Amino acid sequence: MSAPRIRNTPTRKRNTPTRIRDTATRIRDTATGGRDTPVLRAADLLPQAVLGPRSRPVRAVLSILGVAIGIAAIVAVLGITRSSQSDLLARIDRLGTNLLTVAVGRSPTGQRVELPAAAPVTIARTSGVRHVAPTAELPGLSVYRTDQIPAYRGSGLAARACDPALLSTLDARLVAGVFLSAATAGYPTTVLGHDAAQQLGVTGPGGRIYLGGHWFVVVGVLRPVELAPEIDHAALIGFPVAARLFRYDNHPSLIYVRTDTERTAAVADLLAPAATPEHPEAVSIGRPSDALTARLAVADSTTSLYLGLGAVALLVGGIGIANTMVISVIERRGEIGLRRALGAARRHIAAQFLTESLILATFGALAGITLGLAITTTVARMHDWTVGVPPAALWGALVAAVLIGALAGLDPAIRAARLAPAEALRSE
């Protein structure tokens, strides 16, 4: 009996391309959850975006540092400027903007025109004037600590005759002692300005100085007078003793006028004809607070310069991030190709690298803001200023850094998205 024949049925083998396609489909389904259109959730994007910086920490820190320097410069400049301006505005408010000066000038022919002896009286009658204090510089008088110093060695200090109303008109303060009064103005007594007292080595009342060949007793020492720095370098004596000892002729050389604040500009136009009706064009009218106000304009121009430098530093930091991202794309071609082969779409690759750039820029902005605040606080405390950082500077710096990061990462992200999976894997 013969054995039954067994029919060999040939098995159909699938070709190789079909197997590869099926395998890729299974991998893609696993990666995308069976969906036809792959979706990248925000929760998955962040861990992928921080993978690059974490794997190359030194490069990431350098990129962050570039942005941080630019942001710190911007925040510090704006913070220091705001703090100094706040202090300056407070000083202007404290000192007042209603102080005017009337000084001698020259006629159109070039001759020196003296202020009349009655000028303080006529000025005091002007509407809007609150206080008037005439002074007169006494030329040719030297001020020394002792009488043993040769006359040819100048002290650099001036002798000025003044009215007892000078203290209230300038709103000045004394370090020690008292100011000149109607009782002491006729005697050889003097009040020293702050710098004059320091130069002469006088710390308080009771000492003597040698002024114009005569001994004068110091009865007071002034604090610095910001609106009248010429007073700081002077020894002040009364008009009566100046007339008796030094032949003072009652013609003031500089008159301080305190006005109603709201009428200061109008009063300034009336002072020249009130002082010298015959030669009003020869009188010089000044406003000492304008010098402090001018410093605000100088600070604003300096701020613009430093902000430009900070913007350049921020731009350089953005270029550093762009360079880092371009290199990262080149080094991670294999990773890009593998992710594309596993089903990641072009937009997913672009989103990953763009997010990575934004992360670097944001960390740089936060570090820069912290550094800028620290610098502002340190400088403000060194100068006894109130720390003032505009909130717009903080938010503006953060937004600027994010925009720089977005622009820096845009081109590398597009390059990464355009890589074909086969080409990227082949380059490995």
Side-chain angles (χ1 to χ4, degrees):
M1 185 175 180
S2 60
R5 288 192 313 175
I6 300 176
R7 178 181 295 180
N8 293 328
T9 305
T11 59
R12 288 177 76 183
K13 295 183 179 179
R14 291 178 298 173
N15 54 21
T16 302
T18 303
R19 293 201 311 271
I20 295 177
R21 184 168 56 252
D22 293 342
T23 303
T25 301
R26 289 196 303 271
I27 295 175
R28 183 187 63 199
D29 292 341
T30 302
T32 63
R35 292 182 294 266
D36 293 335
T37 303
V39 177
L40 183 63
R41 297 175 300 175
D44 299 327
L45 179 60
L46 189 60
Q48 293 174 3
V50 299
L51 184 62
R54 289 179 59 185
S55 60
R56 299 167 182 82
V58 176
R59 185 184 300 171
V61 169
L62 293 178
S63 300
I64 291 173
L65 184 61
V67 175
I69 292 175
I71 294 297
I74 293 175
V75 173
V77 167
L78 292 175
I80 292 173
T81 301
R82 174 64 65 87
S83 301
S84 63
Q85 286 182 345
S86 299
D87 177 75
L88 189 56
L89 289 172
R91 287 167 56 193
I92 292 175
D93 292 340
R94 184 178 68 253
L95 298 173
T97 59
N98 60 338
L99 180 67
L100 300 174
T101 58
V102 181
V104 297
R106 295 188 179 274
S107 65
T109 60
Q111 295 180 346
R112 188 174 184 271
V113 178
E114 290 187 340
L115 294 175
V121 178
T122 56
I123 289 175
R125 293 173 181 172
T126 304
S127 177
V129 173
R130 294 170 53 189
H131 301 287
V132 177
T135 64
E137 186 174 358
L138 304 175
L141 300 184
S142 299
V143 181
Y144 299 114
R145 185 68 175 86
T146 70
D147 59 351
Q148 302 301 314
I149 300 176
Y152 61 84
R153 294 187 60 182
S155 62
L157 303 177
R160 286 182 175 271
C162 70
D163 189 271
L166 181 66
L167 188 69
S168 59
T169 302
L170 293 179
D171 195 20
R173 298 290 184 268
L174 289 161
V175 175
V178 297
F179 198 70
L180 298 174
S181 64
T184 59
Y187 296 94
T189 58
T190 181
V191 174
L192 298 179
H194 181 265
D195 295 342
Q198 287 189 333
Q199 183 172 333
L200 295 173
V202 178
T203 58
R208 298 193 307 168
I209 63 171
Y210 198 62
L211 191 155
H214 299 272
W215 288 102
F216 279 72
V217 177
V218 177
V219 296
V221 176
L222 288 171
R223 295 182 184 274
V225 185
E226 292 187 75
L227 294 182
E230 61 276 359
I231 299 298
D232 294 339
H233 299 275
L236 305 176
I237 64 175
F239 282 124
V241 71
R244 187 176 74 251
L245 296 180
F246 308 118
R247 299 180 181 180
Y248 169 62
D249 58 2
N250 291 328
H251 288 281
S253 59
L254 182 63
I255 302 175
Y256 298 96
V257 181
R258 186 71 74 169
T259 70
D260 295 332
T261 303
E262 64 277 4
R263 303 183 60 186
T264 302
V267 172
D269 296 333
L270 301 175
L271 289 183
T276 57
E278 297 180 357
H279 302 284
E281 73 283 351
V283 178
S284 176
I285 307 298
R287 192 172 182 176
S289 61
D290 288 345
L292 295 177
T293 306
R295 289 171 57 182
L296 292 175
V298 173
D300 288 338
S301 61
T302 305
T303 300
S304 300
L305 174 62
Y306 288 138
L307 282 179
L309 296 177
V312 171
L314 182 58
L315 179 61
V316 172
I319 295 174
I321 290 181
N323 183 55
T324 299
M325 297 306 301
V326 170
I327 296 176
S328 180
V329 170
I330 296 175
E331 292 180 346
R332 298 161 64 184
R333 292 168 67 92
E335 174 191 337
I336 296 171
L338 182 59
R339 290 200 58 215
R340 289 296 311 280
L342 292 176
R346 293 180 184 272
R347 63 179 181 275
H348 299 157
I349 302 297
Q352 174 186 346
F353 282 89
L354 185 59
T355 305
E356 184 175 328
S357 177
L358 291 175
I359 289 174
L360 294 176
T362 302
F363 274 97
L366 295 177
I369 290 173
T370 304
L371 181 59
L373 291 175
I375 294 174
T376 300
T377 303
T378 302
V379 174
R381 289 181 177 177
M382 289 174 59
H383 293 85
D384 293 328
W385 296 339
T386 301
V387 179
V389 179
L394 304 180
W395 291 109
L398 183 60
V399 171
V402 171
L403 290 177
I404 289 290
L407 293 176
L410 185 59
D411 182 67
I414 293 175
R415 291 189 181 187
R418 287 178 177 175
L419 287 176
E423 178 185 352
L425 291 173
R426 191 184 306 117
S427 62
E428 285 298 302

